[in-house]
Amino acid sequence: VFKVLGQRGIGLSTLVRGDQQEAGAIGFYLAFKLLDKILLPDKDTFILPLDECTNFLESLAASEGSELSKSQRADLLVIHTDSSSITFKAIEVKCYGLVAEEKQSKPEIGSARLSAAIKQLAASQNLLEEVVQAWQNRESEDCYLAANALALLIETAMRLSRDGVGDQTRASQLLENILKCEVKLEVDEPLLAYFVLSEDQEDFRVARKVSGEVLHSELIANPRAILE
């Protein structure tokens, strides 16, 4: 757990304080283990804490009201790249039932217990969509300032990646295309990863749902099902 979180840039102090953030850090660990099993062909995948990316994203959105408060942010920003495109995906992580006093029953897909987490996803999704819209609508003279900010974000993700980049030539071409404002930005549907230690040790459910106007995926799983 310590090794995986350290390699991903997640503060290890959350694991040793003995408070509720311990479960949150273990939830991050489970999310990383899950994402490690999902590889996209011909794409590099980078994962950053969304907290650390918010200022970059807000500057790229460049619109009034695009500020995202800490309570509204999802936990992780997944970035899929090839030489000419970047896809953002927000992930909110919840983890319950690891403390003896914290008995939890497994929730149903789409249940009210998930609504607060879905609101965080929706706010983060809106910010990412504003980033894409601003990039598409920029005038040529404004593009290069945004391009430098975007290139810095992507290069930081590359440098912090545990596995680095799969293809150095492709990564270099991507950074060049960003700086020339010739890269396509997209947003994938967000994901709620809800881990709960229940009596059903094999619990693993995934469904696509619409909450408000936000299409998203909900994954509900027993941690044991992820670690097998």
Side-chain angles (χ1 to χ4, degrees):
V1 173
F2 282 83
K3 180 179 179 181
V4 170
L5 293 180
Q7 290 172 334
R8 304 288 192 164
I10 304 299
L12 298 180
S13 61
T14 57
L15 283 175
V16 296
R17 288 208 301 263
D19 58 16
Q20 290 184 349
Q21 292 203 28
E22 178 178 340
I26 294 175
F28 275 36
Y29 171 79
L30 293 169
F32 289 136
K33 297 296 286 184
L34 179 66
L35 290 167
D36 282 344
K37 300 177 182 180
I38 305 172
L39 298 177
L40 298 181
D42 302 319
K43 297 274 189 179
D44 286 311
T45 298
F46 309 106
I47 307 172
L48 293 172
L50 201 146
D51 268 353
E52 306 304 321
C53 307
T54 300
N55 288 341
F56 278 106
L57 296 172
E58 289 174 348
S59 66
L60 288 168
S63 64
E64 294 294 330
S66 62
E67 293 83 5
L68 197 63
S69 71
K70 193 172 182 65
S71 64
Q72 292 178 308
R73 299 171 192 168
D75 289 310
L76 300 174
L77 177 65
V78 178
I79 307 172
H80 299 299
T81 69
D82 58 27
S83 62
S84 60
S85 69
I86 299 170
T87 302
F88 297 118
K89 183 183 187 74
I91 298 182
E92 174 64 14
V93 180
K94 299 295 184 186
C95 188
Y96 298 104
L98 300 181
V99 181
E101 295 79 12
E102 191 188 45
K103 295 296 182 181
Q104 292 275 336
S105 59
K106 58 183 184 180
E108 296 301 320
I109 293 285
S111 69
R113 282 171 58 181
L114 311 182
S115 60
I118 298 303
K119 289 179 180 179
Q120 286 177 267
L121 278 181
S124 299
Q125 183 77 354
N126 288 340
L127 175 59
L128 293 174
E129 290 175 350
E130 288 178 7
V131 168
V132 171
Q133 184 176 5
W135 180 263
Q136 293 171 343
N137 295 337
R138 285 188 192 277
E139 301 294 336
S140 58
E141 60 269 21
D142 297 328
C143 180
Y144 296 102
L145 289 175
N148 278 279
L150 179 59
L152 181 57
L153 175 64
I154 298 303
E155 185 176 9
T156 299
M158 291 176 176
R159 292 181 179 277
L160 291 177
S161 172
R162 178 193 62 180
D163 301 318
V165 296
D167 186 320
Q168 291 288 346
T169 301
R170 183 172 64 197
S172 297
Q173 186 63 57
L174 171 63
L175 293 174
E176 289 179 14
N177 285 336
I178 292 173
L179 293 174
K180 292 189 292 185
C181 300
E182 295 177 357
V183 69
K184 181 180 181 181
L185 298 192
E186 300 175 305
V187 183
D188 194 6
E189 65 186 54
L191 168 69
L192 169 61
Y194 194 104
F195 305 110
V196 57
L197 189 63
S198 64
E199 294 181 357
D200 185 355
Q201 297 188 14
E202 298 181 355
D203 186 27
F204 188 97
R205 292 166 286 150
V206 183
R208 300 176 77 195
K209 302 290 289 184
V210 176
S211 178
E213 298 180 355
V214 178
L215 175 66
H216 64 278
S217 298
E218 296 177 8
L219 180 149
I220 300 176
N222 191 308
R224 292 189 177 97
I226 303 297
L227 297 175
E228 289 179 351

